[in-house]
Structure formats: C-alpha cells, structure tokens
Amino acid sequence: MNLLSGLSQQVINKNPNEPEFQQAVKEILESLEPVAAAHPEWMDAGIFDRIVEPERQIIFRISWIDDKGVVKVNRGFRVQFNSAIGPYKGGLRLHPSVNLSIIKFLGFEQTFKNSLTGLPIGGAKGGSDFDPKGKSDREIMSFCQSFMTELSKHIGADTDVPAGDIGVGGREIGFMYGQYKRLRNEFTGVLTGKGLSYGGSLARTEATGYGMCYFVEEMLKANDKSFKNKTVVISGSGNVAIYGAEKAIQLGANVVALSDSSGYIYDANGINLDTVKRIKEVERKRISEYVKFHPTAEYHEGCIGIWKIKCDIALPCATQNELDGSSAKILIANGCIAVGEGANMPSTPEAIEEFLKSKVLFGPAKAANAGGVATSALEMSQNSIRYSWTFEEVDDKLKAIMSDIYIKSSNAAKEFGFEGNLLAGANIAGFIKVATAMYSQGIAY
Ligand code: NDP
C-alpha cells in the first residue's frame, strides 16, 4: 500500500523549511495507509489532502517594553488547524525555539489528540519566540498583554480556546485573561488553565502528568505489570514532569531523575518532590539547586545523559526530539520495559523504531499526554454551566478518559493490522472521528 506517500512528499515540497511539521505528518500518514485503503470515499473527498493543511495560520508582531524602557519585538503565532469536531483548542508555547514549523506540528498533533479524548474540541496551537527565562513579573505581564491584544481578535469561547504549554502556566494565563477581559468586556471561558478564583478547574494543573500515568498504568496492566516498585526516569521539571512524578510515586514507583534544559539530577533515594516544587514553581530556579538540599543526589550538566540511568519506565516530559535512537538503545539495553510520552513528539522516529522493534511498551504522546487538554475541555464545560466540580469528580473523569483512550488506541491498532502498536492505533482512532466529521460537512466550493 502506498496511497499516501505522494501526499507525504507533497507536504515536504510545500513546507520546505518545516522539519518538525514534516516529521509529524509523515508519522501519521504512514499509519493511515490501511485506513485510506478501507475508505476510498475519503480519498475521493480529499480528506487526507485537507487534513494536512491548517485551516488558518496567523502570524503577528508583539511589541513590549522591558524594565530598562527598551522596546522589544517578538513574533506571535496561532495556527488553527482543524475545527471539524469542535472549537479550536490547544496550548500557547513561549520559548525562543518557537517557529512556524513547531507550532504547525503541535497543532496537527493536537487535532488527533483532541479527537481521541472523545470531547468536542478541534485542534490548534500558538505561541511566541519570547523567552520568559530571567524576565521580571512586570516584563512577563507586558509581553502577555501585548500578545493578547492581537490574539483576542482571533479567539473566543466558541471559536478558539487556548491554554498553557512550555513557558505558559497560571501566571501567564492570568495576565492574558485579564487583558482579554479588558479588551472585550466579557467574562467567558476563552482560556483554560485559569486560576481557581476566576473559572479554573480543580485538577487542571495536575492533569497532563496524572493522565500520562493513568495511561501508562493501563498499558502496564494489559501486560500484567504496574508502576509498583518500578524505577522511573522523567525528563523535564516543568508542569508535566512534576505531576507525572507525583502520580508515579503515588502508584508505588521510585522516581530517581528529573532534568531541565541545563542538566539532570539523579537521586537514588527517590526524588523529593517538595524540594523540586519549591525550586521550580515558587523560586523559578534551575534544577541544579536540588543537590544543595539533598547532598547525596548528583547533578550532571547536559540533558541527554538522563537516558543512561538504569530504569524500568522512562517518561520523556520536556520537549520534542529529546530522546534519540541511541538513547533508546541504551534504555532497552538497561532493561526498560515501558515508555510514556508526556511531552509532544519527544522520541525521534529512530527511537520509536527501536522501542517497537524491542517490544518495549510505548505510550505515544497524542494518547498518553491527552489528559491535559481533556481536563481543559472539562474546564470549558464547567465555565459553560457556571459550576465547579470537586477535585475527585474531575480526577475520576480524567481517569475514565485515559482508560478509554487506551482502549480505543489498542482496538484501532488491532482492527487495522498493527496489533500492539499504540502509536498507529492512536493515530487511526484520532483520525477516524475527524475524517467522519469532515466528510459529513462537505467541501466548500
Ligand atoms: P514547562 O514549561 O512547565 O516545562 C518544560 C520543561 O522542559 C522544563 O523543565 C524545561 O527546562 C524543559 N525544556 C523545555 N525546552 C527544552 C529544550 N529545548 N531542551 C531541554 N529541555 C527543555 O512545560 P510543560 O511541562 O507544560 O510541557 C512539557 C512538554 O509537555 C511539552 O512538550 C508540552 O508540549 C507537553 N505538553 C504539555 C501539556 C500541559 O498541559 N502543560 C499538555 C500536553 C503536552 P527549562 O526550564 O530549562 O527550559
């Protein structure tokens, strides 16, 4: 079967300077070959050609003033990828590496992830090349307000509902929400990840990390295994990594490593999460500070070495392409039995090939980290009915959603000839709902 390879090449030719976007499209189209064969009507309706093209891409200037009174200029993005099954939904990333390729790959992936949650949300992503590191609160506020001044023209509670991602947490969402409200004179659920005092949902902060562990636990359970007494290595030390570590520990694992973009810490006794939360969430300092409080722990410069630590379960929760083929080989040689992707596209195609070849249980990002956006959709529901569910109510819904995503991915893999390959299964299950909706809605011509 080679029904979609021409399309893959077309995407490369049309988007020549976008390696991350090309990588994401190639991965998905490869697993959709049997779906294309089973649905000639979708081929005829151009569903595959349409799904790889964003519905709308917005690029804009953000000017703001730093603490020295100097005018700064950054570039902002919002890519509204697909609205077939609901309003656009997806996070905002603030990181110097942000460019159109990264935002498009994230928006494309988001379309399938959001579909997998079973909730009515379309796919989008946005952000800016602004670097929040080392900026004062006032500078962050100035940037966020300027960013929202433009973004507010393109979003709305029933149109497009952004959330957080790398570099965007509660503080940034607060500044952006305040600015939206000032500009529009509307108190609506236009952003998720809001503070609890103004419409945020309990358990949203924990949702991506917790959800990833619920998914991995399902995957382990199906193979007569669990987190209990397992050694776990987690990259990153942001929102996803911290709450992934918290849930893994609650499920009985020993989490021994975390990292940031400078280096990683190894604590054989088990990472003390209170220390990590204080350093990263309160003081906003580097992970290297950890060893000052736990002198038996080690700090190593550079991120990639974290995968040399012997572990049973690896959870990459920092950024795209952070786990390459040679790191995968080391993990496998060290006896790693499962990988759950908390970050988006953290494993390179070579790493994924190694995991699948060696029968390592592999929980792909769009399934394993969907708990964040699912809980964001639950925040939207609570905003619509002007009501707040308890932590337990939201957490129970999250657990049910993650279990359902596991079942859907696993069943789709089996049905289309990829038994045991959750990556292909998640791609197919996510795609089918969006494709069905696009087909029903016709083509505007
Ligand atoms: P945070 O900003 O809270 O944390 C990001 C972490 O990753 C930090 O430790 C950061 O280190 C590290 N990191 C970022 N960029 C790089 C890089 N280029 N190289 C090495 N390390 C890096 O972000 P989140 O925890 O929210 O997001 C982490 C991942 O999870 C991303 O891929 C995101 O898209 C994905 N995700 C997040 C969701 C959410 O709800 N927040 C939902 C679904 C997916 P440093 O501080 O040094 O930059």
Side-chain angles (χ1 to χ4, degrees):
M1 271 179 291
N2 254 327
L3 294 169
L4 301 175
S5 58
L7 177 57
S8 229
Q9 191 54 48
Q10 218 171 292
V11 169
I12 293 172
N13 298 345
K14 210 168 170 182
N15 306 276
N17 300 314
E18 300 179 3
E20 294 85 1
F21 179 55
Q22 294 172 5
Q23 182 183 338
V25 171
K26 184 167 182 284
E27 178 216 286
I28 297 225
L29 290 185
E30 276 172 8
S31 36
L32 295 181
E33 284 286 353
V35 184
H39 288 278
E41 78 284 11
W42 288 351
M43 291 291 284
D44 293 345
I47 297 287
F48 298 89
D49 308 71
R50 286 191 275 150
I51 211 162
V52 296
E53 186 69 18
E55 287 176 15
R56 195 171 296 107
Q57 307 180 51
I58 303 145
I59 303 183
F60 51 100
R61 180 179 69 201
I62 308 151
S63 358
W64 57 282
I65 297 177
D66 75 7
D67 286 347
K68 297 190 189 100
V70 177
V71 176
K72 301 278 178 183
V73 179
N74 286 101
R75 186 170 288 173
F77 302 89
R78 186 71 180 165
V79 173
Q80 299 177 329
F81 223 106
N82 195 299
S83 62
I85 63 169
Y88 305 108
K89 177 102 199 81
L92 299 170
R93 176 175 291 192
L94 299 182
H95 194 274
S97 64
V98 164
N99 56 35
L100 187 59
S101 172
I102 289 183
I103 299 300
K104 275 171 73 178
F105 114 68
L106 289 164
F108 183 64
E109 292 269 305
Q110 196 80 43
T111 302
F112 302 91
K113 179 190 311 193
N114 292 3
S115 163
L116 271 177
T117 67
L119 301 168
I121 36 179
K125 202 80 186 188
S128 168
D129 58 1
F130 172 79
D131 186 357
K133 274 200 203 88
K135 302 288 190 300
S136 69
D137 283 355
R138 199 211 60 80
E139 288 174 324
I140 298 281
M141 183 167 77
S142 171
F143 171 83
C144 288
Q145 291 178 341
S146 183
F147 182 73
M148 182 50 86
T149 300
E150 177 60 30
L151 189 68
S152 65
K153 298 169 189 162
H154 311 285
I155 62 176
D158 295 317
T159 313
D160 181 355
V161 183
D165 190 74
I166 292 179
V168 177
R171 174 181 60 170
E172 293 74 19
I173 293 288
F175 292 148
M176 289 183 198
Y177 191 76
Q179 183 70 351
Y180 184 87
K181 198 160 55 61
R182 257 170 234 120
L183 293 167
R184 304 293 282 262
N185 196 24
E186 275 174 14
F187 194 103
T188 62
V190 70
L191 292 170
T192 57
K194 299 185 290 298
L196 295 176
S197 60
Y198 63 95
S201 172
L202 285 159
R204 174 61 188 92
T205 304
E206 294 82 356
T208 309
Y210 277 26
M212 167 185 65
C213 289
Y214 295 146
F215 183 90
V216 172
E217 187 74 341
E218 287 292 326
M219 184 169 81
L220 291 167
K221 200 169 77 187
N223 291 275
D224 298 320
K225 297 180 169 72
S226 78
F227 264 108
K228 205 158 178 49
N229 299 324
K230 299 291 189 302
T231 300
V232 177
V233 164
I234 302 182
S235 63
S237 50
N239 173 266
V240 182
I242 288 177
Y243 292 95
E246 184 164 283
K247 185 49 74 181
I249 293 167
Q250 285 172 14
L251 292 169
N254 186 27
V255 176
V256 295
L258 287 174
S259 64
D260 60 20
S261 56
S262 310
Y264 67 93
I265 51 165
Y266 171 65
D267 189 341
N269 298 324
I271 298 282
N272 183 315
L273 266 192
D274 289 339
T275 308
V276 173
K277 284 187 187 177
R278 196 180 65 240
I279 294 169
K280 299 304 286 190
E281 294 184 336
V282 182
E283 297 168 0
R284 298 180 189 275
K285 287 190 177 153
R286 309 306 295 158
I287 199 70
S288 54
E289 296 282 311
Y290 181 89
V291 293
K292 288 190 188 157
F293 306 98
H294 303 278
T296 56
E298 299 165 16
Y299 173 71
H300 298 269
E301 285 287 334
C303 321
I304 196 95
I306 196 170
W307 307 120
K308 292 189 181 144
I309 299 171
K310 189 173 164 51
C311 65
D312 302 305
I313 299 170
L315 303 173
C317 295
T319 194
Q320 63 276 355
N321 292 326
E322 54 163 314
L323 201 171
D324 61 11
S326 48
S327 300
K329 281 186 186 151
I330 297 170
L331 281 168
I332 295 162
N334 281 339
C336 177
I337 56 163
V339 174
E341 295 189 317
N344 283 309
M345 206 167 77
S347 313
T348 63
E350 296 75 28
I352 295 175
E353 206 182 310
E354 293 296 332
F355 293 138
L356 296 180
K357 205 167 65 189
S358 304
K359 305 270 181 252
V360 170
L361 301 175
F362 181 70
K366 67 178 71 60
N369 74 22
V373 73
T375 309
S376 274
L378 299 178
E379 182 173 330
M380 289 165 71
S381 304
Q382 293 170 82
N383 293 162
S384 295
I385 56 174
R386 302 202 188 284
Y387 189 72
S388 296
W389 294 321
T390 63
F391 188 98
E392 288 69 29
E393 282 173 307
V394 179
D395 193 37
D396 284 347
K397 291 184 202 307
L398 171 64
K399 248 183 244 167
I401 290 169
M402 297 315 293
S403 162
D404 184 54
I405 293 176
Y406 175 78
I407 294 166
K408 269 189 217 156
S409 307
S410 171
N411 289 348
K414 207 178 290 175
E415 185 183 339
F416 285 90
F418 294 103
E419 185 154 6
N421 180 343
L422 293 172
L423 176 68
N427 289 344
I428 292 169
F431 171 80
I432 285 178
K433 181 175 174 189
V434 179
T436 308
M438 286 174 76
Y439 188 69
S440 308
Q441 290 168 20
I443 310 164
Y445 60 99

Short mmCIF file of all heavy atoms in Angstrom, two decimals, residues 368-412:
data_model
loop_
_atom_site.label_atom_id
_atom_site.label_comp_id
_atom_site.label_asym_id
_atom_site.label_seq_id
_atom_site.Cartn_x
_atom_site.Cartn_y
_atom_site.Cartn_z
N ALA A 368 -0.95 9.47 25.42
CA ALA A 368 -0.51 9.50 26.82
C ALA A 368 -0.62 10.88 27.46
O ALA A 368 -0.85 10.98 28.67
CB ALA A 368 0.93 8.99 26.91
N ASN A 369 -0.43 11.95 26.66
CA ASN A 369 -0.50 13.27 27.31
C ASN A 369 -1.81 14.01 27.05
O ASN A 369 -1.92 15.21 27.30
CB ASN A 369 0.73 14.13 26.98
CG ASN A 369 0.73 14.68 25.56
OD1 ASN A 369 -0.31 14.80 24.92
ND2 ASN A 369 1.92 15.05 25.08
N ALA A 370 -2.83 13.28 26.58
CA ALA A 370 -4.11 13.93 26.25
C ALA A 370 -4.91 14.36 27.48
O ALA A 370 -5.92 15.05 27.36
CB ALA A 370 -4.96 12.99 25.39
N GLY A 371 -4.46 13.95 28.67
CA GLY A 371 -5.21 14.29 29.88
C GLY A 371 -5.26 15.79 30.15
O GLY A 371 -6.23 16.28 30.76
N GLY A 372 -4.24 16.52 29.70
CA GLY A 372 -4.22 17.98 29.91
C GLY A 372 -5.34 18.65 29.14
O GLY A 372 -6.17 19.38 29.70
N VAL A 373 -5.40 18.35 27.85
CA VAL A 373 -6.43 19.01 27.04
C VAL A 373 -7.82 18.48 27.40
O VAL A 373 -8.81 19.23 27.36
CB VAL A 373 -6.12 18.89 25.53
CG1 VAL A 373 -6.37 17.49 24.99
CG2 VAL A 373 -6.94 19.89 24.74
N ALA A 374 -7.89 17.20 27.79
CA ALA A 374 -9.21 16.66 28.19
C ALA A 374 -9.74 17.44 29.39
O ALA A 374 -10.91 17.82 29.44
CB ALA A 374 -9.08 15.18 28.52
N THR A 375 -8.85 17.71 30.35
CA THR A 375 -9.30 18.44 31.54
C THR A 375 -9.57 19.91 31.20
O THR A 375 -10.44 20.54 31.80
CB THR A 375 -8.27 18.27 32.67
OG1 THR A 375 -8.02 16.88 32.82
CG2 THR A 375 -8.76 18.84 33.98
N SER A 376 -8.86 20.43 30.22
CA SER A 376 -9.18 21.77 29.74
C SER A 376 -10.60 21.79 29.18
O SER A 376 -11.35 22.76 29.37
CB SER A 376 -8.20 22.20 28.64
OG SER A 376 -7.05 22.76 29.20
N ALA A 377 -10.96 20.73 28.46
CA ALA A 377 -12.33 20.67 27.93
C ALA A 377 -13.33 20.55 29.08
O ALA A 377 -14.44 21.11 29.01
CB ALA A 377 -12.47 19.50 26.96
N LEU A 378 -12.94 19.87 30.15
CA LEU A 378 -13.83 19.80 31.33
C LEU A 378 -13.94 21.19 31.97
O LEU A 378 -15.00 21.57 32.50
CB LEU A 378 -13.30 18.78 32.34
CG LEU A 378 -13.20 17.32 31.86
CD1 LEU A 378 -12.62 16.43 32.96
CD2 LEU A 378 -14.56 16.78 31.42
N GLU A 379 -12.85 21.96 31.92
CA GLU A 379 -12.90 23.36 32.42
C GLU A 379 -13.90 24.17 31.57
O GLU A 379 -14.69 24.95 32.11
CB GLU A 379 -11.50 23.98 32.38
CG GLU A 379 -11.43 25.41 32.92
CD GLU A 379 -9.99 25.93 33.01
OE1 GLU A 379 -9.05 25.14 33.22
OE2 GLU A 379 -9.82 27.17 32.88
N MET A 380 -13.88 23.96 30.27
CA MET A 380 -14.82 24.68 29.38
C MET A 380 -16.27 24.31 29.75
O MET A 380 -17.14 25.19 29.80
CB MET A 380 -14.56 24.31 27.91
CG MET A 380 -13.27 24.90 27.36
SD MET A 380 -12.74 24.14 25.80
CE MET A 380 -13.96 24.77 24.64
N SER A 381 -16.49 23.02 30.03
CA SER A 381 -17.85 22.59 30.40
C SER A 381 -18.29 23.27 31.69
O SER A 381 -19.42 23.77 31.79
CB SER A 381 -17.91 21.08 30.62
OG SER A 381 -17.46 20.41 29.50
N GLN A 382 -17.40 23.31 32.67
CA GLN A 382 -17.75 23.93 33.96
C GLN A 382 -18.02 25.43 33.78
O GLN A 382 -18.92 25.98 34.38
CB GLN A 382 -16.61 23.71 34.97
CG GLN A 382 -16.45 22.25 35.37
CD GLN A 382 -15.18 22.01 36.19
OE1 GLN A 382 -15.15 22.23 37.39
NE2 GLN A 382 -14.12 21.56 35.53
N ASN A 383 -17.22 26.09 32.90
CA ASN A 383 -17.45 27.51 32.64
C ASN A 383 -18.82 27.72 31.99
O ASN A 383 -19.54 28.66 32.30
CB ASN A 383 -16.36 28.08 31.72
CG ASN A 383 -14.98 28.14 32.36
OD1 ASN A 383 -13.97 28.25 31.68
ND2 ASN A 383 -14.90 28.06 33.68
N SER A 384 -19.19 26.81 31.07
CA SER A 384 -20.47 26.96 30.36
C SER A 384 -21.65 26.82 31.31
O SER A 384 -22.64 27.54 31.18
CB SER A 384 -20.62 25.89 29.29
OG SER A 384 -19.66 26.07 28.30
N ILE A 385 -21.54 25.89 32.25
CA ILE A 385 -22.67 25.71 33.18
C ILE A 385 -22.49 26.54 34.45
O ILE A 385 -23.28 26.45 35.38
CB ILE A 385 -22.92 24.21 33.52
CG1 ILE A 385 -21.65 23.55 34.09
CG2 ILE A 385 -23.42 23.43 32.32
CD1 ILE A 385 -21.86 22.12 34.59
N ARG A 386 -21.43 27.33 34.49
CA ARG A 386 -21.11 28.20 35.64
C ARG A 386 -21.16 27.42 36.95
O ARG A 386 -21.90 27.74 37.88
CB ARG A 386 -22.04 29.42 35.70
CG ARG A 386 -21.98 30.23 34.43
CD ARG A 386 -22.43 31.67 34.62
NE ARG A 386 -22.53 32.38 33.36
CZ ARG A 386 -21.50 32.84 32.66
NH1 ARG A 386 -20.27 32.69 33.09
NH2 ARG A 386 -21.70 33.48 31.53
N TYR A 387 -20.34 26.37 36.98
CA TYR A 387 -20.34 25.47 38.12
C TYR A 387 -18.94 24.88 38.24
O TYR A 387 -18.20 24.82 37.26
CB TYR A 387 -21.38 24.36 37.87
CG TYR A 387 -21.63 23.47 39.06
CD1 TYR A 387 -22.33 23.94 40.17
CD2 TYR A 387 -21.16 22.15 39.08
CE1 TYR A 387 -22.56 23.11 41.27
CE2 TYR A 387 -21.38 21.33 40.17
CZ TYR A 387 -22.07 21.82 41.27
OH TYR A 387 -22.29 21.02 42.34
N SER A 388 -18.55 24.44 39.46
CA SER A 388 -17.23 23.82 39.64
C SER A 388 -17.37 22.43 40.21
O SER A 388 -18.04 22.25 41.23
CB SER A 388 -16.39 24.65 40.61
OG SER A 388 -16.14 25.90 40.09
N TRP A 389 -16.74 21.48 39.57
CA TRP A 389 -16.72 20.12 40.11
C TRP A 389 -15.60 20.01 41.15
O TRP A 389 -14.63 20.78 41.12
CB TRP A 389 -16.49 19.11 38.97
CG TRP A 389 -17.61 19.06 37.99
CD1 TRP A 389 -18.94 19.14 38.28
CD2 TRP A 389 -17.53 18.92 36.57
NE1 TRP A 389 -19.69 19.05 37.13
CE2 TRP A 389 -18.85 18.91 36.06
CE3 TRP A 389 -16.48 18.80 35.65
CZ2 TRP A 389 -19.14 18.79 34.70
CZ3 TRP A 389 -16.76 18.67 34.29
CH2 TRP A 389 -18.08 18.67 33.83
N THR A 390 -15.70 19.01 42.03
CA THR A 390 -14.64 18.80 43.03
C THR A 390 -13.42 18.18 42.34
O THR A 390 -13.51 17.66 41.21
CB THR A 390 -15.11 17.81 44.12
OG1 THR A 390 -15.35 16.54 43.50
CG2 THR A 390 -16.37 18.29 44.81
N PHE A 391 -12.30 18.19 43.09
CA PHE A 391 -11.08 17.58 42.57
C PHE A 391 -11.35 16.13 42.19
O PHE A 391 -10.97 15.67 41.11
CB PHE A 391 -9.96 17.67 43.62
CG PHE A 391 -8.62 17.24 43.10
CD1 PHE A 391 -7.69 18.19 42.67
CD2 PHE A 391 -8.27 15.89 43.01
CE1 PHE A 391 -6.46 17.80 42.17
CE2 PHE A 391 -7.04 15.49 42.51
CZ PHE A 391 -6.13 16.45 42.09
N GLU A 392 -12.04 15.41 43.09
CA GLU A 392 -12.28 13.98 42.86
C GLU A 392 -13.15 13.76 41.62
O GLU A 392 -12.92 12.84 40.84
CB GLU A 392 -12.97 13.33 44.08
CG GLU A 392 -12.05 13.16 45.29
CD GLU A 392 -11.66 14.49 45.94
OE1 GLU A 392 -12.46 15.48 45.87
OE2 GLU A 392 -10.56 14.57 46.51
N GLU A 393 -14.15 14.63 41.44
CA GLU A 393 -15.02 14.48 40.26
C GLU A 393 -14.20 14.64 38.97
O GLU A 393 -14.35 13.85 38.02
CB GLU A 393 -16.15 15.52 40.29
CG GLU A 393 -17.28 15.15 41.24
CD GLU A 393 -18.31 16.28 41.37
OE1 GLU A 393 -17.92 17.43 41.66
OE2 GLU A 393 -19.50 16.01 41.20
N VAL A 394 -13.34 15.67 38.95
CA VAL A 394 -12.54 15.89 37.73
C VAL A 394 -11.54 14.75 37.54
O VAL A 394 -11.38 14.21 36.44
CB VAL A 394 -11.81 17.26 37.79
CG1 VAL A 394 -10.98 17.48 36.53
CG2 VAL A 394 -12.82 18.40 37.97
N ASP A 395 -10.90 14.35 38.64
CA ASP A 395 -9.89 13.29 38.56
C ASP A 395 -10.52 11.97 38.09
O ASP A 395 -9.93 11.24 37.28
CB ASP A 395 -9.23 13.14 39.93
CG ASP A 395 -7.97 12.31 39.87
OD1 ASP A 395 -7.21 12.42 38.87
OD2 ASP A 395 -7.71 11.55 40.83
N ASP A 396 -11.73 11.67 38.57
CA ASP A 396 -12.41 10.45 38.13
C ASP A 396 -12.71 10.49 36.64
O ASP A 396 -12.56 9.50 35.92
CB ASP A 396 -13.74 10.25 38.89
CG ASP A 396 -13.48 9.75 40.31
OD1 ASP A 396 -12.34 9.34 40.59
OD2 ASP A 396 -14.42 9.80 41.13
N LYS A 397 -13.16 11.67 36.16
CA LYS A 397 -13.45 11.80 34.73
C LYS A 397 -12.15 11.63 33.93
O LYS A 397 -12.13 10.97 32.89
CB LYS A 397 -14.07 13.17 34.42
CG LYS A 397 -15.49 13.34 34.98
CD LYS A 397 -16.07 14.68 34.53
CE LYS A 397 -17.19 15.18 35.42
NZ LYS A 397 -18.30 14.28 35.66
N LEU A 398 -11.07 12.22 34.44
CA LEU A 398 -9.77 12.12 33.76
C LEU A 398 -9.35 10.65 33.64
O LEU A 398 -8.93 10.20 32.57
CB LEU A 398 -8.72 12.93 34.54
CG LEU A 398 -7.26 12.78 34.11
CD1 LEU A 398 -7.05 13.29 32.68
CD2 LEU A 398 -6.32 13.56 35.06
N LYS A 399 -9.47 9.93 34.75
CA LYS A 399 -9.09 8.51 34.75
C LYS A 399 -9.90 7.74 33.70
O LYS A 399 -9.36 6.95 32.93
CB LYS A 399 -9.41 7.91 36.13
CG LYS A 399 -8.17 7.54 36.91
CD LYS A 399 -8.54 6.88 38.23
CE LYS A 399 -8.07 7.75 39.36
NZ LYS A 399 -8.58 7.45 40.67
N ALA A 400 -11.21 8.00 33.67
CA ALA A 400 -12.08 7.29 32.72
C ALA A 400 -11.68 7.64 31.28
O ALA A 400 -11.64 6.76 30.40
CB ALA A 400 -13.54 7.65 32.98
N ILE A 401 -11.35 8.91 31.05
CA ILE A 401 -10.97 9.34 29.69
C ILE A 401 -9.67 8.65 29.26
O ILE A 401 -9.55 8.13 28.14
CB ILE A 401 -10.84 10.88 29.62
CG1 ILE A 401 -12.22 11.54 29.73
CG2 ILE A 401 -10.13 11.31 28.33
CD1 ILE A 401 -12.19 13.05 29.94
N MET A 402 -8.69 8.58 30.17
CA MET A 402 -7.40 7.98 29.81
C MET A 402 -7.56 6.48 29.54
O MET A 402 -6.92 5.94 28.63
CB MET A 402 -6.35 8.22 30.91
CG MET A 402 -6.00 9.68 31.17
SD MET A 402 -5.73 10.72 29.70
CE MET A 402 -4.25 10.02 29.02
N SER A 403 -8.41 5.84 30.32
CA SER A 403 -8.63 4.42 30.11
C SER A 403 -9.31 4.20 28.75
O SER A 403 -8.94 3.29 27.99
CB SER A 403 -9.49 3.90 31.28
OG SER A 403 -10.05 2.70 30.95
N ASP A 404 -10.27 5.07 28.44
CA ASP A 404 -10.97 4.98 27.16
C ASP A 404 -10.01 5.20 25.99
O ASP A 404 -10.08 4.52 24.96
CB ASP A 404 -12.09 6.03 27.18
CG ASP A 404 -12.93 5.97 25.94
OD1 ASP A 404 -13.44 4.88 25.65
OD2 ASP A 404 -13.05 6.99 25.23
N ILE A 405 -9.07 6.15 26.15
CA ILE A 405 -8.10 6.41 25.08
C ILE A 405 -7.23 5.18 24.86
O ILE A 405 -6.92 4.80 23.73
CB ILE A 405 -7.21 7.64 25.42
CG1 ILE A 405 -8.06 8.92 25.41
CG2 ILE A 405 -6.04 7.78 24.44
CD1 ILE A 405 -7.31 10.17 25.83
N TYR A 406 -6.85 4.53 25.96
CA TYR A 406 -6.03 3.32 25.83
C TYR A 406 -6.81 2.25 25.05
O TYR A 406 -6.29 1.65 24.09
CB TYR A 406 -5.61 2.76 27.20
CG TYR A 406 -4.87 1.46 27.04
CD1 TYR A 406 -3.54 1.46 26.64
CD2 TYR A 406 -5.53 0.24 27.16
CE1 TYR A 406 -2.87 0.27 26.39
CE2 TYR A 406 -4.87 -0.95 26.91
CZ TYR A 406 -3.54 -0.93 26.53
OH TYR A 406 -2.89 -2.11 26.27
N ILE A 407 -8.07 2.05 25.43
CA ILE A 407 -8.87 1.00 24.77
C ILE A 407 -9.06 1.32 23.29
O ILE A 407 -8.87 0.47 22.42
CB ILE A 407 -10.24 0.85 25.50
CG1 ILE A 407 -10.02 0.31 26.91
CG2 ILE A 407 -11.20 -0.05 24.72
CD1 ILE A 407 -11.21 0.43 27.83
N LYS A 408 -9.41 2.60 23.00
CA LYS A 408 -9.62 3.00 21.59
C LYS A 408 -8.37 2.78 20.76
O LYS A 408 -8.43 2.28 19.64
CB LYS A 408 -9.93 4.51 21.55
CG LYS A 408 -11.38 4.87 21.64
CD LYS A 408 -11.49 6.37 21.34
CE LYS A 408 -12.52 7.01 22.18
NZ LYS A 408 -12.39 8.42 22.41
N SER A 409 -7.21 3.17 21.31
CA SER A 409 -5.95 3.08 20.55
C SER A 409 -5.60 1.62 20.32
O SER A 409 -5.19 1.22 19.23
CB SER A 409 -4.81 3.77 21.30
OG SER A 409 -5.17 5.09 21.64
N SER A 410 -5.77 0.83 21.39
CA SER A 410 -5.42 -0.57 21.30
C SER A 410 -6.34 -1.30 20.31
O SER A 410 -5.88 -2.09 19.47
CB SER A 410 -5.53 -1.13 22.72
OG SER A 410 -5.42 -2.47 22.74
N ASN A 411 -7.64 -1.01 20.37
CA ASN A 411 -8.59 -1.66 19.45
C ASN A 411 -8.36 -1.24 18.00
O ASN A 411 -8.41 -2.08 17.09
CB ASN A 411 -10.04 -1.32 19.83
CG ASN A 411 -10.45 -2.01 21.12
OD1 ASN A 411 -9.74 -2.90 21.60
ND2 ASN A 411 -11.57 -1.61 21.70
N ALA A 412 -8.09 0.05 17.78
CA ALA A 412 -7.88 0.51 16.40
C ALA A 412 -6.62 -0.13 15.82
O ALA A 412 -6.59 -0.52 14.65
CB ALA A 412 -7.76 2.04 16.36
#
